[in-house]
Amino acid sequence: MKMLLANSATPKHYTHCIEACLKCAQACEECFSACLKETDVQARTSMIKMLNDCAEICLQAAQLMSRDSMFAKASCELCAMVCEACAKDCEAFKDAHCQECAKFCRECAEACRQMARA
């Protein structure tokens, strides 16, 4: 299902990247919540912090793109770095929610790299 832009003033070339950022932020929040319920939660402390960082930067990048900020590309560059780091952390855990989150992080990182180069 294709997400509709809330405001037709949002530049269309941002659409794919905004969608990827929002999906990634949601995946990170869901993974965060699921990780808190795991028996090895102490071993996940660093990853849990990373999930929070990733969700935050994804939402910020989406906000900056939505308002066509002059910092949108720089934000996307940072978002790609954080998403890659988060994916790597998530992949260290074999839970379905961590593996799924890693997939969304990698997709977002790629979309953000493309946006930053555009």
Side-chain angles (χ1 to χ4, degrees), residues 86-98:
C86 192
K88 186 177 176 189
D89 280 3
C90 285
E91 286 167 348
F93 294 91
K94 298 307 174 200
D95 311 293
H97 58 86
C98 289

Side-chain angles (χ1 to χ4, degrees), residues 17-33 46-65 75 78-87 89-90 101-102 104-105 108-109 112:
C17 193
I18 290 171
E19 288 176 2
C21 286
L22 294 176
K23 286 177 185 176
C24 186
Q26 181 178 354
C28 287
E29 293 291 351
E30 291 172 357
C31 189
F32 168 84
S33 182
S46 176
M47 182 189 60
I48 288 170
K49 290 178 183 177
M50 179 65 73
L51 288 165
N52 282 332
D53 288 349
C54 192
E56 291 284 333
I57 195 64
C58 286
L59 292 173
Q60 183 182 55
Q63 289 172 320
L64 293 174
M65 285 183 281
S75 179
L78 178 59
C79 189
M81 278 192 332
V82 174
C83 285
E84 285 293 342
C86 192
D89 280 3
C90 285
C101 186
F104 282 108
C105 287
C108 185
C112 282

Side-chain angles (χ1 to χ4, degrees), residues 4 10 12 20 30 61-62 74 77 81 107:
L4 296 176
T10 300
K12 301 256 184 285
E30 291 172 357
E77 285 181 32
M81 278 192 332
E107 290 171 3

